[in-house]
Amino acid sequence: MSLVELIARADTRGLAASGLACLDRCVPLLDGDDEALRPLWATLADGTGDAAGRDWAQGLTQVRDKLAGPDAIGEDEAVVLARRMLAAAPAECSGPELRTWADGCSVASLRIHRLLDPAADPAPEGDVPRDGGAQALPPLVAAELRRQVGVLELLAGHGAAGLRPALEVSTEGRRVLRAVVSRRARGRG
């Protein structure tokens, strides 16, 4: 199944994990540490319902406070896209807003990876294709596409038990992006 199809079929937990994983992999752009999104991951592990909804809203407030950065004036496009992902996260971990957020995070994260991939031409207009394979994509972008598909497949196939492996996929991607961001910063300095 394509990434677009997986997002369309995902349940609430799958959508939340998908959007959260995209954001998690982009945390290095927000100068966040590896534990920055832990409160939101914990909420997904705890289940659904009113209490989980309150926990998501509280966790989201904590994460936004922790990752609050300067105004976006002068920031490059990748950082602006990461900030928008965080800002767009819905206060409720349910409903159509969650699907819109997960889809938007997917598009933004792929665009971020295209912008940061030294082998990619960041100029092409439009989004990275999400309805096919990764064969024609630059390496960093192709890996991000595979990670997004992997997270959604883990949640679709294993439900709550898929959260831990999904977090591991996200952690691997965050390490890769942190190295890319670090190399990029050294190249500018």
Side-chain angles (χ1 to χ4, degrees):
M1 249 189 282
S2 74
L3 178 56
V4 172
E5 292 169 324
L6 287 166
I7 290 172
R9 293 180 181 197
D11 65 6
T12 298
R13 182 178 277 129
L15 291 170
S18 176
L20 189 54
C22 288
L23 181 59
D24 198 358
R25 288 188 294 276
C26 295
V27 159
L29 292 166
L30 303 175
D31 294 326
D33 63 38
D34 290 349
E35 300 297 314
L37 299 179
R38 191 63 73 180
L40 295 176
W41 282 108
T43 298
L44 295 182
D46 290 342
T48 57
D50 290 342
R54 282 190 301 277
D55 291 346
W56 173 269
Q58 290 171 349
L60 185 58
T61 299
Q62 290 172 4
V63 167
R64 284 181 174 149
D65 289 346
K66 189 173 190 175
L67 296 177
D71 292 334
I73 298 171
E75 290 184 327
D76 70 12
E77 184 180 353
V79 175
V80 171
L81 287 167
R83 290 203 187 287
R84 285 182 187 158
M85 275 195 278
L86 179 57
E92 291 187 30
C93 190
S94 63
E97 296 85 16
L98 187 61
R99 188 171 307 278
T100 300
W101 178 64
D103 192 57
C105 286
S106 170
V107 171
S109 185
L110 287 166
R111 176 70 182 157
I112 287 167
H113 283 75
R114 175 182 260 167
L115 289 166
L116 298 176
D117 193 324
D121 176 6
E125 292 302 316
D127 299 327
V128 172
R130 299 180 308 146
D131 53 358
Q135 300 85 344
L137 298 174
L140 193 64
V141 180
E144 173 60 12
L145 181 64
R146 285 191 297 272
R147 284 185 190 99
Q148 288 187 27
V149 167
V151 165
L152 285 161
E153 287 176 343
L154 284 165
L155 272 292
H158 303 288
L163 281 170
R164 182 170 297 281
L167 180 57
E168 290 169 5
V169 167
S170 187
T171 299
E172 173 200 355
R174 184 179 348 102
R175 286 184 190 129
V176 169
L177 198 66
R178 192 173 300 284
V180 170
V181 169
S182 178
R183 249 183 272 125
R184 188 175 180 220
R186 282 192 307 269
R188 288 180 177 174

